Amino acid sequence: MVDSNAKLLLYMDAVAATFPRADGDKVRGALSMIGDPPRVQLLALRRYIRKAKSLDAQWVWDQDHIRAFEHGAASAHVRAEIDKVKSAFQTLNPGYTLGVSPIRNLARQVGKFKGNASVKQAATGLEQDCLKAMDNYPDNPDEITTQVFRTFLGHCSVNPEPTSAAPGLSDHGQMNAIDFVVIKIQGQKLIAGTTTSNIRDAWDAPGWTEKLQAAVKSAGNVFKGPLPSPREPWHYTLAKR
């Protein structure tokens, strides 16, 4: 009889193999980069199942695509709009400026996913639910039980819902989103960053949430946000031209 954790790994591999070839290569590559613990891979796999129809279109750019973007007109447009927001913010808040997030490649997305507290908590509960569901599965997945498990995993709820996107699927991977952080110019000290647990103290209480919104509006309201769910007062998207 196969150990339950080893059995779960077998079924995860079998489900990863059900994706079309190009998507499957992306999924398996991301899961391999995530590595240990396997439960975090399981949580990411759940998201890949849910995003299966749009996986290729949403997937993070590779380094060649990132370099091409950074030297193109689209990147110049984004930088110009960011500069407008930064200028407005500095005018409205003397002594402070904004930092912005770069394009988030796959390795950076993996790091943020694995380091996120909500991911760790959700992954633990999901693993327990999957192990219970697999009690009556055969030790070795066949075509039918693989599809049964894929369906179960895709529909399985988690608590909490992770506040970090599964690696490969972040809006930052194609520069569709910008994270603004507040920096005190003197000493270049970070005042309000992107830690979810600090939103109330770092953003809401000092008023930076509203101050950033005011700067975005003053700069022409080209950026849309902030992200309401999961709530991220620093997260904005740039309207398509």
Side-chain angles (χ1 to χ4, degrees):
M1 185 174 179
V2 177
D3 171 81
S4 59
N5 290 309
K7 181 177 174 180
L8 180 57
L9 287 173
L10 288 174
Y11 275 84
M12 288 167 58
D13 288 342
V15 168
T18 63
F19 288 84
R21 182 173 179 177
D23 288 351
D25 289 344
K26 294 180 177 70
V27 167
R28 286 188 290 271
L31 295 178
S32 177
M33 286 185 69
I34 292 170
D36 290 327
R39 69 177 70 95
V40 178
Q41 294 185 48
L42 180 68
L43 183 65
L45 183 58
R46 167 185 175 268
R47 192 61 178 167
Y48 300 147
I49 294 168
R50 291 185 165 207
K51 288 285 188 177
K53 292 182 179 179
S54 59
L55 198 70
D56 184 62
Q58 193 174 340
W59 198 256
V60 57
W61 289 337
D62 61 25
Q63 287 303 124
D64 289 340
H65 199 149
I66 290 174
R67 281 192 291 268
F69 172 83
E70 289 174 339
H71 290 88
S75 178
H77 168 64
V78 174
R79 289 197 301 270
E81 295 299 335
I82 289 172
D83 286 343
K84 291 177 185 178
V85 175
K86 289 179 68 175
S87 178
F89 187 86
Q90 289 175 207
T91 298
L92 294 169
N93 305 280
Y96 296 89
T97 188
L98 294 172
V100 296
S101 58
I103 297 177
R104 195 170 293 164
N105 63 21
L106 184 58
R108 284 176 59 86
Q109 291 185 33
V110 168
K112 288 188 71 67
F113 192 69
K114 293 187 68 173
N116 186 287
S118 67
V119 166
K120 296 174 183 177
Q121 187 176 348
T124 297
L126 179 63
E127 181 184 51
Q128 293 170 353
D129 290 342
C130 287
L131 289 173
K132 290 177 183 177
M134 295 174 65
D135 279 346
N136 296 321
Y137 289 12
D139 286 346
N140 294 300
D142 55 30
E143 184 175 350
I144 294 175
T145 51
T146 296
Q147 287 300 326
V148 168
F149 181 61
R150 175 177 170 137
T151 300
F152 172 82
L153 182 57
H155 287 86
C156 197
S157 61
V158 294
N159 185 30
E161 190 66 37
T163 59
S164 181
L169 297 179
S170 169
D171 287 341
H172 296 274
Q174 295 185 10
M175 207 57 178
N176 291 324
I178 303 289
D179 284 348
F180 292 99
V181 297
V182 180
I183 298 171
K184 188 173 184 179
I185 294 174
Q186 184 176 7
Q188 289 295 294
K189 181 181 179 182
L190 179 66
I191 301 299
T194 59
T195 302
T196 304
S197 60
N198 289 343
I199 289 176
R200 185 182 67 179
D201 293 337
W203 283 90
D204 296 342
W208 293 120
T209 300
E210 292 77 15
K211 291 173 183 177
L212 177 55
Q213 288 176 301
V216 169
K217 183 177 181 180
S218 178
N221 229 23
V222 174
F223 286 93
K224 305 302 177 185
L227 184 69
S229 182
R231 183 168 179 257
E232 294 181 351
W234 53 79
H235 182 116
Y236 283 76
T237 58
L238 182 64
K240 301 291 185 181
R241 290 191 297 173

